[in-house]
Amino acid sequence: MLIIPAIDLKDGHCVRLKQGDMEASTIFSEDPGAMAKHWIDQGCERLHLVDLNGAFAGKPVNESAIKSIVSAIGGKIPIQLGGGIRDLDTIERYLDDGIDYVILGTAAVKNPGFLHEACYAFPGQVIVGLDAKDGKVAVDGWSKLTGHDVIDLAKKYEDYGVSSIIYTDIGRDGMLTGVNIEATVALAQSLLIPVIASGGVTNLDDVRKLCAVEDEGIIGTITGRAIYEGSLDFAAAQALANELSPNAR
């Protein structure tokens, strides 16, 4: 089970939002590269980046900060990146810059043809982020709920060839209220590709609960506010995950 630190980028800084609200952001670091190195020193084995400005603008905004993170990491661990990726040229540029996986969210839902093309052009390097509330998918920075069922969409994307699904319960993200284990397991059980949980990881009990269902196809969890505010010790969390699932890594 991978415990994956999130570095959310806004105006070149590392921040966290509450439930996707750009006005409710907290700055945790003004040096993204140093923050990335910090998590590697703590035992991080994959990093999750989000260009928050890009997600709202529909185009890359924090590229300089992203490049500083790639440079700081130096290829030691895989990096996955989402936010503002709307065309194949942007994907190619990010992969050339050293990003390992690109994450498509709103673009995948609104333009499935683009997702299909991306999976064909960059096999094994496209992840879809599905943000959902009560089983329905949200888009546009969580501001709009669609009528799409999260499991139905995920199955369609699996057929396209996405490498994995990041599932976020948007009612819990950034709120430190625990993971929606039931919904995450239901999604993982419906797919052959792995699922990465996101939203609500608060403490070591959440890590234990996720490790207990790892065999269902959940390979990791993304955590942000909890590790920045201190309710979750990242190094302890990854060590616990390694202890509970030594053969699954």
Side-chain angles (χ1 to χ4, degrees):
M1 175 72 64
L2 295 171
I3 312 299
I4 307 171
I7 296 182
D8 291 355
L9 299 166
K10 179 187 176 190
D11 306 329
H13 302 144
C14 303
V15 306
R16 286 298 290 167
L17 307 184
K18 281 193 176 180
Q19 293 189 300
D21 184 357
M22 284 289 273
E23 300 306 314
S25 65
T26 304
I27 296 176
F28 288 107
S29 173
E30 297 187 359
D31 187 341
M35 183 58 70
K37 289 179 72 173
H38 167 75
W39 295 127
I40 285 185
D41 292 343
Q42 294 287 308
C44 161
E45 296 179 34
R46 185 187 287 209
L47 201 58
H48 177 80
L49 308 185
V50 181
D51 181 349
L52 290 172
N53 301 101
F56 283 84
K59 61 182 179 180
V61 175
N62 284 287
E63 279 190 89
S64 61
I66 291 163
K67 286 182 178 179
S68 74
I69 290 170
V70 172
S71 177
I73 285 180
K76 293 177 183 175
I77 60 169
I79 304 173
Q80 57 193 42
L81 166 69
I85 301 171
R86 300 288 191 269
D87 56 62
L88 296 179
D89 288 343
T90 299
I91 295 176
E92 185 171 27
R93 189 164 76 246
Y94 276 141
L95 296 178
D96 286 345
D97 285 344
I99 296 297
D100 299 278
Y101 304 97
V102 294
I103 303 163
L104 303 182
T106 294
V109 179
K110 289 189 168 182
N111 188 355
F114 166 53
L115 174 62
H116 203 277
E117 291 175 353
C119 290
Y120 180 79
F122 308 104
Q125 294 184 287
V126 178
I127 296 171
V128 167
L130 286 178
D131 306 329
K133 186 175 183 179
D134 300 325
K136 299 299 181 184
V137 174
V139 295
D140 294 333
W142 305 352
S143 62
K144 298 175 186 173
L145 272 180
T146 71
H148 295 297
D149 179 83
V150 66
I151 290 178
D152 290 345
L153 263 191
K155 286 180 176 178
K156 181 187 295 184
Y157 297 159
E158 180 176 53
D159 290 341
Y160 287 177
V162 303
S163 64
S164 57
I165 298 286
I166 295 172
Y167 174 70
T168 304
D169 182 329
I170 64 175
R172 303 192 183 209
D173 185 80
M175 302 305 288
L176 306 182
T177 53
V179 183
N180 189 335
I181 296 285
E182 184 179 347
T184 307
V185 168
L187 178 61
Q189 287 176 336
S190 72
L191 302 171
L192 295 176
I193 57 174
V195 170
I196 297 170
S198 176
V201 173
T202 304
N203 52 43
L204 292 178
D205 280 343
D206 292 322
V207 175
R208 289 188 185 93
K209 290 173 184 175
L210 282 166
C211 288
V213 295
E214 183 173 12
D215 288 347
E216 303 292 351
I218 301 167
I219 63 166
T221 182
I222 296 164
T223 181
R225 183 170 289 274
I227 56 174
Y228 289 105
E229 294 191 346
S231 68
L232 181 69
D233 180 300
F234 174 80
Q238 187 61 71
L240 176 63
N242 294 348
E243 177 188 334
L244 294 176
S245 52
N247 298 320
R249 294 172 54 232

